[in-house]
């Protein structure tokens, strides 16, 4: 198929031709038909599309044109539009660059003239007005051109008469005084007069040109300034409208979840966008994830107004029949929304002023692909990871961040109803993920025996202790107790699957929350965390999966569902929904919100089955609920958080040095401290030293275990020890164990560790509630701190 040959560009001409445009990392450069006309560069998939479908347009008046190499060049307007283009040859690229520069200059002139600030009124936006402005521009250009021609003519005349004058002067010097003298003097005088006249004309022409150029220069400058101010105003207005739209949409969807047929589709402004392409590119060139829109398992609708006057009873049921229950499970709506005795409503004055800033994150570049391309299908614990991928906190400190919104447990401890208490516990479960939305940095993998204490008794009424109890597999035990009547404990290990484009992190283990007054014992597990764009693009995090919060004393249950991000979903991003039921399966509360912003609850007044089947063939439950009220809202990040690893107010204080902490505390870890101070090269060297020290200690511990073994088992222990030494001989910085691309699901968590290490502050027991082996705090840490007796602590740093 013959292709039309692009003509040599000329000022004002329309220019067309084929170029290769970058689309994404999967398809690379694709051949597109580009048309340059009236200061606009548009492109189509084929020439046939010119009449009906334009794939994208960029205005050259404000665009920047940059040449990358012999065939590649980039056009960007400084905003969301960036075209990475490639020509078939260097000559073709130069033709396009020339045409684009000429069109850009022309578009800029026309834009400046159209917004001329010297006009008393704005010209009408009609064809006649546009023609008038165009005529004015053309007239100005003709006048300037005429002046330039006058200057050129005067220059030629000056040169000509100057040469004649020089010849006359030379002849005058060689003439003898006599009859010819007067004639020569007359010629010199005439030539001098002509030269003076021409010079004066030249000076006048220059003066006229300068005055005209200055006049129009001021007008253009004013027009450019007005255009910039107008653009800023439009951007501010657009940003305000986007915020208002997002707020209204969230408020609407948070109050009522309507069926799909009644919902308005909305584009999620929080979805991740990365890569070289621009938002105007064709749909099939965008990269989507395989998560489809999830079908709602239930629907909530506003309850009949008569129920709003009967807050003393709880109405629930699976059938359409109305059932009233005035038992102890009833909940005072007002007390749930705002408890005057709750710690959240009291002013707590900190005893100690804690820091509010850390050093800004340095801007060090690192080629992630050079490290990660060899990791696919391998065990990540055998790959050394530099601190460039980390944040200056350990996994133990990240685990302690679950207590960011401890006030929810304080309020839950005061509840008289177990169902009310369940709402707060579920909100606390969701709130622990709010700190992860922008935290793409990997926490430091704790060394075996490393601890972290968080003593907030005087400020918030609780104290917390974490310890790394195993290194193969990596596992951490956590215990927190509050003076306000609750205890939180957990042992968490991490498994992961690396898929090349994203990393799925699956926490293993259960979390326990026990309330002293009611003796209610709650357990739940964490959902899967997915880190997207591991190799290329901007990293972003998503939480997905389901959580069952179970009250083992009463049988109450809350089923929470974290919806995975989907480009095609009409719901807001990071959405969480849940239903609180009693031991008989009756629904009492519906929870809704997002894990990065807030959670709300709605009291169920009546429930019924929907007459039509859903997409999965099951009937949906329709809940009639009262107006939604807020349970929890995320605290805004501190100012400048984007330069401080997106740390929350609590996270900024976690690595602050404190007196009296154990020598194994994460605050004393040198590589983590060096990274926080911005000394990353020293941190990498110190990190390697600590890892090598840990491997040496482990090999020595295994040799002692082998020597202590019985003769009948010595051979087996030696073989096992050799295998463990081989694993430990590799760098061991990451907490992620990776399966192959088609690997199986991670096994159920077991705390049968292989380190031959006895924990300092935790002991391994079988949990009486879940039946799982777990590490439970055995006491002694806070007493040792009071006495300053850390003699039994190992030297790990």
């Amino acid at each position: 198929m013959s292709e039309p040959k692009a003509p040599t560009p000329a000022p004002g001409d329309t220019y067309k031709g084929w170029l290769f445009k970058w689309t994404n990392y999967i398809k690379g450069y694709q051949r597109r038909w580009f048309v340059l006309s009236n200061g606009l560069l548009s492109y189509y998939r084929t020439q046939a599309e010119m009449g009906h479908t334009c794939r994208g347009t960029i205005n050259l008046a404000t665009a920047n044109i940059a040449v990358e190499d012999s065939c590649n060049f980039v056009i960007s307007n400084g905003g969301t539009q960036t075209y990475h283009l490639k020509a078939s040859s260097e000559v073709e690229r130069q033709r396009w660059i020339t045409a684009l520069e000429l069109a850009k200059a022309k578009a800029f002139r026309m834009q400046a003239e159209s917004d001329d600030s010297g006009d008393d009124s704005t010209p009408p936006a009609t064809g006649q007005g546009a023609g008038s402005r165009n005529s004015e521009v053309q007239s100005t250009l003709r006048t300037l051109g005429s002046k330039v021609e006058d200057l050129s003519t005067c220059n030629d005349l000056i040169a000509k008469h100057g040469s004649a004058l020089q010849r006359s002067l030379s002849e005058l010097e060689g003439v003898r005084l006599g009859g010819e003298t007067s004639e020569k003097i007359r010629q010199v005088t005439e030539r001098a007069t002509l030269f003076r006249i021409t010079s004066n004309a030249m000076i006048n022409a220059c003066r006229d040109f300068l005055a005209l150029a200055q006049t129009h220069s001021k007008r253009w400058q004013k027009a450019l300034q007005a255009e910039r101010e107008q653009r800023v105003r439009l951007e501010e207005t657009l940003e305000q409208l986007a915020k208002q739209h997002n707020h209204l949409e969230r408020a609407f969807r948070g109050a009522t979840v309507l069926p799909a047929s009644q919902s308005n589709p909305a584009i999620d402004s929080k979805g991740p966008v990365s890569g070289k392409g621009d938002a105007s590119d064709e749909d099939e060139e965008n990269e989507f994830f395989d998560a489809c829109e999830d079908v709602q398992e239930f629907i909530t609708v506003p309850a009949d107004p008569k129920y709003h006057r009967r807050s003393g009873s709880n109405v629930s049921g699976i059938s359409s029949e109305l059932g009233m229950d005035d038992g102890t499970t009833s909940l005072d709506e007002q007390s749930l929304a705002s408890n005057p005795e709750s710690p959240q409503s009291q002013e707590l004055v900190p005893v100690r002023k804690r820091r509010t800033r850390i050093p800004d994150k340095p801007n060090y570049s690192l080629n992630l692909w050079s490290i990660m391309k060899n990791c696919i299908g391998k065990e990540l614990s055998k790959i050394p990871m530099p601190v460039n991928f980390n944040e200056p906190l350990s996994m133990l400190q990240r685990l302690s961040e679950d207590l960011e919104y401890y006030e929810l447990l304080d309020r839950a401890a005061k509840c008289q109803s177990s169902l009310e208490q369940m709402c707060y516990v579920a909100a606390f479960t969701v709130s622990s993920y709010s700190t992860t939305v922008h935290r793409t940095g990997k926490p430091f993998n704790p060394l075996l025996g490393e601890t972290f204490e968080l003593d907030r008794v005087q400020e918030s009424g609780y104290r917390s202790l974490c310890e790394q109890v195993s290194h193969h597999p990596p596992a951490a035990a956590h215990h927190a107790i509050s003076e306000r009547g609750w205890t939180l404990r957990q042992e968490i290990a991490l498994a992961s699957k690396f898929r090349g484009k994203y990393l799925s992190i699956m926490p293993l283990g259960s979390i326990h929350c026990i309330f002293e007054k009611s003796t209610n014992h709650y357990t739940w597990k964490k959902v899967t965390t997915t880190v997207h764009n591991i190799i290329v693009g901007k990293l972003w995090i998503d939480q997905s999966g389901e959580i069952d919060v179970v009250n083992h004393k009463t049988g109450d249950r809350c089923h929470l569902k974290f919806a995975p991000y989907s480009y095609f979903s009409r719901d807001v991003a990071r959405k969480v929904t849940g239903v609180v039921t009693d031991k008989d399966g009756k629904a009492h509360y519906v929870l809704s919100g997002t894990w990065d912003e807030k959670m709300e609850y709605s009291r169920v007044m009546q429930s019924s089955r929907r007459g039509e089947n859903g997409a999965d063939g099951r009937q949906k439950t329709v809940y009639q609920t009262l107006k939604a009220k807020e349970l929890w809202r995320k605290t805004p990040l501190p100012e400048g958080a984007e330069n401080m690893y997106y740390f929350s107010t609590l996270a900024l204080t976690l690595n602050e040095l404190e007196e009296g902490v154990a020598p194994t505390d994460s605050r004393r870890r040198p590589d983590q401290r060096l990274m926080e101070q911005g000394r990353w090269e020293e941190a990498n060297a110190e990190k390697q030293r600590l890892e090598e020290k840990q491997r040496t200690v482990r090999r020595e511990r295994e040799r002692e275990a082998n020597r202590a073994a019985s003769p009948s088992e010595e051979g087996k222990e030696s073989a096992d020890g050799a295998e463990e030494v081989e694993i430990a001989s590799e760098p061991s910085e990451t907490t992620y164990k990776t399966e192959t691309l088609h690997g199986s699901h991670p096994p159920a968590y077991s705390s049968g560790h292989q380190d031959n290490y006895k924990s300092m502050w935790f002991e391994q027991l079988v949990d009486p509630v879940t039946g799982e082996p777990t590490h439970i705090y055995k006491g002694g840490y806070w007493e040792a701190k009071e006495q300053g007796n850390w003699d039994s602590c190992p030297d790990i740093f």
Side-chain angles (χ1 to χ4, degrees), residues 707-770:
R707 285 195 296 267
S710 62
S712 60
E713 298 181 357
E714 185 174 356
K716 181 178 182 300
E717 290 290 339
S718 300
D720 292 340
E723 182 180 358
E724 289 300 313
V725 170
E726 180 181 356
I727 295 176
S729 64
E730 299 292 341
S732 56
E733 161 59 16
T734 165
T735 61
Y736 308 137
K737 180 181 178 183
T738 303
E739 305 289 341
T740 59
L741 187 61
H742 301 288
S744 60
H745 293 286
Y749 173 63
S750 171
S751 17
H753 307 307
Q754 308 170 6
D755 295 295
N756 297 320
Y757 170 77
K758 186 177 180 180
S759 170
M760 285 288 301
W761 312 111
F762 292 81
E763 59 181 345
Q764 188 174 12
L765 301 172
V766 176
D767 189 276
V769 175
T770 63

Side-chain angles (χ1 to χ4, degrees), residues 307 316-323 606-609 622 624:
Y307 294 122
S316 178
I318 298 178
S319 66
S320 60
E321 297 180 0
L322 178 63
Q606 185 178 5
S607 63
S608 60
R609 290 292 187 182
V622 179
Q624 293 187 19

Side-chain angles (χ1 to χ4, degrees), residues 375-524:
C375 300
I376 300 178
K378 295 184 179 180
E379 186 177 343
L380 292 184
S381 61
K382 293 187 176 182
I383 301 167
M385 304 294 286
V387 300
N388 302 58
F389 302 118
N390 287 37
E391 62 179 17
L393 290 178
S394 74
M395 180 60 72
L396 302 181
Q397 291 165 316
R398 282 288 291 268
L399 204 58
S400 300
E401 281 190 72
D402 286 357
L403 299 172
E404 176 93 23
Y405 298 96
Y406 68 92
E407 302 97 334
L408 292 169
L409 296 182
D410 290 347
R411 297 173 69 181
K414 295 179 178 296
C415 293
Q416 301 297 323
S417 165
S418 62
L419 293 171
E420 174 187 354
Q421 195 174 71
M422 176 67 80
C423 292
Y424 282 112
V425 174
F428 175 79
T429 302
V430 176
S431 70
S432 63
Y433 297 98
S434 63
T435 61
T436 66
V437 61
H438 299 297
R439 301 273 289 279
T440 57
K442 173 190 172 298
F444 278 79
N445 185 31
L447 302 175
L448 186 61
E450 184 176 336
T451 61
F452 177 73
E453 70 162 68
L454 185 63
D455 192 349
R456 295 289 192 269
V457 171
Q458 295 182 345
E459 305 168 47
S460 307
Y462 72 88
R463 54 176 36 165
S464 162
L465 176 65
C466 294
E467 182 182 357
Q468 186 76 358
V469 295
S470 171
H471 195 69
H472 286 287
H478 179 208
H479 181 270
I481 187 169
S482 172
E483 295 178 340
R484 292 165 187 154
W486 56 264
T487 300
L488 184 76
R489 61 178 173 88
Q490 58 183 318
E491 181 179 355
I492 298 296
L494 297 177
S496 68
K497 289 184 179 180
F498 181 44
R499 301 289 191 176
K501 291 168 56 180
Y502 62 90
L503 180 70
S504 295
I505 304 167
M506 293 149 286
L508 307 177
S510 299
I511 305 172
H512 298 253
C513 185
I514 304 100
F515 292 95
E516 179 180 351
K517 183 177 180 181
S518 62
T519 67
N520 288 330
H521 190 145
Y522 297 85
T523 63
W524 67 91

Side-chain angles (χ1 to χ4, degrees), residues 447-618:
L447 302 175
L448 186 61
E450 184 176 336
T451 61
F452 177 73
E453 70 162 68
L454 185 63
D455 192 349
R456 295 289 192 269
V457 171
Q458 295 182 345
E459 305 168 47
S460 307
Y462 72 88
R463 54 176 36 165
S464 162
L465 176 65
C466 294
E467 182 182 357
Q468 186 76 358
V469 295
S470 171
H471 195 69
H472 286 287
H478 179 208
H479 181 270
I481 187 169
S482 172
E483 295 178 340
R484 292 165 187 154
W486 56 264
T487 300
L488 184 76
R489 61 178 173 88
Q490 58 183 318
E491 181 179 355
I492 298 296
L494 297 177
S496 68
K497 289 184 179 180
F498 181 44
R499 301 289 191 176
K501 291 168 56 180
Y502 62 90
L503 180 70
S504 295
I505 304 167
M506 293 149 286
L508 307 177
S510 299
I511 305 172
H512 298 253
C513 185
I514 304 100
F515 292 95
E516 179 180 351
K517 183 177 180 181
S518 62
T519 67
N520 288 330
H521 190 145
Y522 297 85
T523 63
W524 67 91
K525 297 180 182 291
K526 289 182 175 288
V527 295
T528 299
T529 299
T530 305
V531 184
H532 293 270
N533 295 339
I534 289 291
I535 302 300
V536 292
K538 183 179 180 181
L539 293 174
W540 61 280
I541 290 178
D542 192 24
Q543 311 285 353
S544 59
E546 299 182 4
I547 295 178
D548 281 316
V549 185
V550 181
N551 185 341
H552 293 273
K553 178 183 177 181
T554 64
D556 300 338
R557 182 181 298 265
C558 177
H559 181 74
L560 293 171
K561 188 168 186 178
F562 290 64
Y565 173 79
S566 173
Y567 180 86
F568 304 100
S569 176
R570 292 187 293 266
D571 288 327
V572 295
R574 310 180 181 95
K575 184 176 182 179
V576 181
T577 56
V579 179
V580 177
T581 58
D582 58 20
K583 62 180 180 180
D584 298 323
K586 292 183 181 180
H588 292 261
Y589 295 96
V590 171
L591 305 181
S592 62
T594 59
W595 54 264
D596 67 322
E597 185 177 359
K598 66 176 180 179
M599 286 295 294
E600 297 177 334
Y601 79 97
S602 302
R603 182 178 172 187
V604 176
M605 305 307 297
Q606 185 178 5
S607 63
S608 60
R609 290 292 187 182
R610 187 176 179 179
E612 57 193 57
N613 292 336
D616 55 357
R618 295 182 301 177

Side-chain angles (χ1 to χ4, degrees), residues 233-251:
R233 289 194 298 269
L234 289 175
E235 289 177 350
E236 292 176 351
T237 303
L238 183 61
E239 183 179 0
Q240 293 177 359
L241 290 174
K243 290 181 179 179
Q244 294 175 1
H245 173 78
N246 188 51
H247 176 73
L248 291 174
E249 182 182 83
R250 283 180 177 248

